[in-house]
């Protein structure tokens, strides 16, 4: 019976508003897929460029070699999902390249220097509508005269 080498894989997630993205990273040919289609054909182009930011930074630091990334997204709108995707990818790459100690400190510092929201979820949410008004802040005018 042959001993099988355990293949390294990492799961990570990212959130923005009501959008959630889950990324799984494993050794491979360097493919990045979002909802089972290549990230290179993600539309609109602004969402594509924003989603690829963590990949560009990791590639410049030679941390992207031979890793396949599969991302699935649920909920929210296009840009909420985009921010969730970039957070999930960045977190996954930091964990994947960490080795035995857990996290890649150098890559983590570079991500934080570029944009804090790459590694930290954005906690902001939509404010709920209140009574006597048409929205969260707008109210019917009151007149006492």
């Amino acid at each position: 019976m042959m001993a099988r080498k355990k293949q390294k894989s990492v799961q990570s997630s990212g959130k923005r508003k009501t959008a959630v993205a889950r990324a799984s990273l494993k050794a491979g040919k360097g493919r990045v897929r979002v909802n089972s289609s290549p990230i290179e054909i993600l539309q609109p182009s602004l969402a594509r460029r924003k989603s690829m930011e963590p990949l560009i930074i990791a590639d410049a630091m030679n941390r992207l070699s031979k890793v396949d990334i599969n991302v699935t997204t649920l909920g929210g709108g296009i840009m909420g999902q985009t921010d969730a995707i970039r957070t999930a990818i960045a977190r996954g790459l930091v964990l994947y390249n960490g080795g035995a100690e857990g996290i890649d400190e150098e890559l983590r510092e570079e991500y934080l220097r570029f944009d804090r929201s790459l590694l930290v979820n954005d906690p902001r949410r939509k404010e709920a509508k209140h009574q006597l008004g048409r929205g969260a802040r707008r109210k019917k005018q009151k007149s006492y005269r």
Side-chain angles (χ1 to χ4, degrees):
M1 186 159 163
M2 252 169 56
R4 227 167 141 191
K5 186 179 171 188
K6 190 171 186 292
Q7 195 174 10
K8 182 177 180 180
S9 68
V10 171
Q11 265 71 36
S12 65
S13 68
K15 290 182 181 179
R16 172 74 166 97
K17 292 187 177 179
T18 57
V20 178
R22 290 183 190 89
S24 62
L25 292 84
K26 64 182 183 207
K29 296 179 180 177
R31 286 194 211 116
V32 181
R33 296 184 161 278
V34 176
N35 293 332
S36 70
S37 67
I39 196 168
E40 290 83 12
I41 62 170
L42 193 66
Q43 289 295 335
S45 61
L46 176 65
R48 181 185 331 116
R49 285 198 308 268
K50 207 167 179 185
S51 298
M52 292 182 80
E53 286 172 355
L55 300 171
I56 293 166
I57 293 169
D59 192 36
M61 297 178 71
N62 296 321
R63 300 290 206 289
L64 196 59
S65 60
K66 309 300 180 203
V67 58
D68 281 352
I69 305 173
N70 288 317
V71 184
T72 57
T73 57
L74 296 167
I78 294 167
M79 293 315 289
Q81 284 190 355
T82 300
D83 284 341
I85 288 167
R86 69 200 289 256
T87 300
I89 290 173
R91 282 181 172 176
L93 285 171
V94 167
L95 286 174
Y96 187 85
N97 291 312
E101 67 272 5
I103 61 171
D104 184 355
E105 206 61 48
E106 195 179 332
L107 185 62
R108 182 179 173 275
E109 290 299 320
E110 190 62 36
Y111 280 152
L112 289 175
R113 188 170 28 255
F114 178 75
D115 185 3
R116 186 169 184 267
S117 67
L118 275 175
L119 295 175
V120 182
N121 288 331
D122 193 341
R124 296 177 295 172
R125 298 291 180 265
K126 184 174 180 283
E127 186 175 347
K129 178 194 175 297
H130 303 301
Q131 64 189 22
L132 299 175
R134 295 184 57 178
R137 298 293 173 102
R138 187 172 172 187
K139 299 279 183 279
K140 290 179 184 166
Q141 286 189 336
K142 295 179 284 194
S143 176
Y144 298 108
R145 289 182 279 288

